[in-house]
Amino acid sequence: MGMGRRWKSVAAVDARENSGLDWARTPFEMNNRTDVTEFIFLGFSNHPKLQGLFFLVFLIIYLTTLLGNMFIMTATRISLALHTPMYYFLSNLSFLDICYTSTTIPVMLVNFFREKKIISYEGCLSQIFFLVTCAGTEGVLLAAMAYDRYVAICHPLQYPVLMSVKVCVFLVSGSWLCGLVNSVTHTVLAATLTLCGPNQISHFLCDIPLLLKLSCSDTSLNDSMLHVASATIGLSPCLFTGVSYILIISAILRIPSAQGRSKAFSTCASHLTVVVIFFGTANFNYDRTNIGYNLDMDILVSVFFCVITPMFNPIIYSLRNKEVKGALRKLARECGFYNKISN
């Protein structure tokens, strides 16, 4: 059964349905019962009069995300002071956030002007692939950044060796590889699902759990792989990051001078903030129960995780970081609008 699937009926199946023998359908007839070629998003459908306002808000958020993360990426390249492992990771994080938001927001912006908010079957699978890739990669990358901060605080004399260029490239490549392997696995499994309708998704994006709800075939393998991914790509990086920061904080508290403790903590405060926001919203987005389900609340949580968090990251890293702010000022001067950035 290929990707270009169609809604089609089988006379023999319909005859059995009318005679009350729907349970007697064969697997072949089930596969040919109805095939989905597109999905209808129900996200934001509760507020039809606010579509124009939603479009404006999300357009501003998207442009801010693009601009902020592009500034971070450019600043880390032009400033020699930012040619360090920490900012190499940060540049990759900014690239991830651009990819992450570009997977969902453009489709959502277009749909605000459509009476029927749709996405093709192939487009839905593509969105799942890129979303899962970026989310998985970001979780592992944040763990790699935690390791970088651990080495910098707890083993400063060994930092040049333990965080060499080869090690940094290996950690970033490994993060992308983990995200890609996880994403390919889930996307291939999702493509094998039999979708018998309805083709309505109670959201503004395609995601694996949402697609599983629409399947009329066995999803036990998909569910098992979701649990495996939750442990390996979700829980493991979170626990590794948590242990790293326990060791980091313990080391900082042993520093005798208050000024030294403050300086050491400031080097990892931004990353810790991003970690708490990312893993906190991810956990709330995927692991909350369905008791008291509300579409608006579900949309709000996902908007914060998928849309707001990528916008916050460059802001968080810029506010408390003198090196980044200095590089941004330099970049702003070169772009001719230095005075627009506050001190």
Side-chain angles (χ1 to χ4, degrees):
M1 209 167 76
M3 291 259 188
R5 305 195 275 184
R6 294 278 181 257
W7 290 88
K8 45 192 175 182
S9 300
V10 176
V13 179
D14 288 340
R16 255 202 303 271
E17 280 185 346
N18 294 332
S19 62
L21 297 176
D22 182 56
W23 57 270
R25 283 186 302 210
T26 66
F28 175 80
E29 291 169 334
M30 280 290 294
N31 286 340
N32 286 279
R33 168 67 178 145
T34 51
D35 290 338
V36 176
T37 59
E38 65 181 25
F39 297 96
I40 301 174
F41 289 135
L42 301 181
F44 304 104
S45 59
N46 290 349
H47 309 281
K49 296 182 180 180
L50 298 178
Q51 300 299 298
L53 178 61
F54 287 149
F55 172 83
L56 181 61
V57 170
F58 284 106
L59 178 62
I60 293 174
I61 291 175
Y62 183 51
L63 293 177
T64 303
T65 302
L66 291 180
L67 186 62
N69 284 291
M70 288 177 66
F71 264 128
I72 292 292
M73 291 174 62
T74 306
T76 56
R77 286 186 174 274
I78 67 172
S79 176
L80 294 178
L82 302 184
H83 289 181
T84 63
M86 181 174 72
Y87 297 109
Y88 173 69
F89 292 133
L90 178 58
S91 178
N92 278 273
L93 181 64
S94 293
F95 177 71
L96 265 174
D97 287 335
I98 290 175
C99 295
Y100 198 40
T101 53
S102 297
T103 303
T104 56
I105 297 184
V107 175
M108 181 170 57
L109 292 176
V110 171
N111 277 333
F112 280 131
F113 292 99
R114 289 176 174 171
E115 183 177 350
K116 188 179 180 182
K117 307 178 191 307
I118 61 172
I119 188 172
S120 67
Y121 175 81
E122 293 82 0
C124 185
L125 287 181
S126 299
Q127 195 174 74
I128 288 175
F129 172 78
F130 288 110
L131 274 176
V132 176
T133 298
C134 292
T137 302
E138 184 159 340
V140 180
L141 182 62
L142 288 174
M145 294 174 74
Y147 173 73
D148 170 71
R149 292 300 82 206
Y150 163 75
V151 175
I153 300 297
C154 301
H155 304 283
L157 297 180
Q158 297 176 283
Y159 186 79
V161 176
L162 295 177
M163 294 304 299
S164 63
V165 174
K166 288 185 178 180
V167 172
C168 293
V169 172
F170 173 78
L171 290 174
V172 170
S173 301
S175 300
W176 277 101
L177 182 61
C178 288
L180 282 170
V181 170
N182 180 54
S183 181
V184 168
T185 302
H186 289 299
T187 306
V188 169
L189 288 175
T192 64
L193 293 173
T194 302
L195 305 174
C196 299
N199 64 332
Q200 296 179 336
I201 297 178
S202 299
H203 221 291
F204 63 87
L205 52 79
C206 287
D207 204 355
I208 299 167
L210 300 171
L211 212 59
L212 295 182
K213 292 180 180 180
L214 303 181
S215 175
C216 56
S217 59
D218 182 20
T219 62
S220 57
L221 180 58
N222 303 73
D223 292 328
S224 297
M225 290 308 300
L226 279 176
H227 291 305
V228 171
S230 178
T232 56
I233 303 295
L235 183 60
S236 296
C238 184
L239 290 177
F240 180 86
T241 303
V243 171
S244 298
Y245 270 102
I246 290 174
L247 298 174
I248 289 171
I249 294 172
S250 299
I252 290 176
L253 293 177
R254 290 196 297 268
I255 297 176
S257 67
Q259 184 178 2
R261 290 194 297 270
S262 177
K263 183 178 180 180
F265 185 75
S266 66
T267 63
C268 54
S270 298
H271 176 252
L272 182 58
T273 304
V274 170
V275 164
V276 170
I277 292 176
F278 177 81
F279 285 111
T281 54
N283 180 73
F284 194 65
N285 187 59
Y286 287 107
D287 296 333
R288 66 189 186 280
T289 63
N290 289 324
I291 298 175
Y293 174 82
N294 179 275
L295 178 59
D296 287 340
M297 181 57 66
D298 192 59
I299 296 298
L300 181 61
V301 172
S302 294
V303 163
F304 198 89
F305 176 62
C306 300
V307 179
I308 303 298
T309 300
M311 181 184 69
F312 277 166
N313 288 349
I315 297 174
I316 292 170
Y317 272 100
S318 301
L319 288 178
R320 294 178 56 85
N321 196 304
K322 293 181 180 179
E323 289 84 0
V324 173
K325 287 195 288 186
L328 290 177
R329 290 191 186 100
K330 180 180 178 180
L331 180 61
R333 280 196 298 268
E334 293 179 358
C335 293
F337 49 87
Y338 170 75
N339 292 329
K340 293 187 179 181
I341 295 184
S342 60
N343 295 327

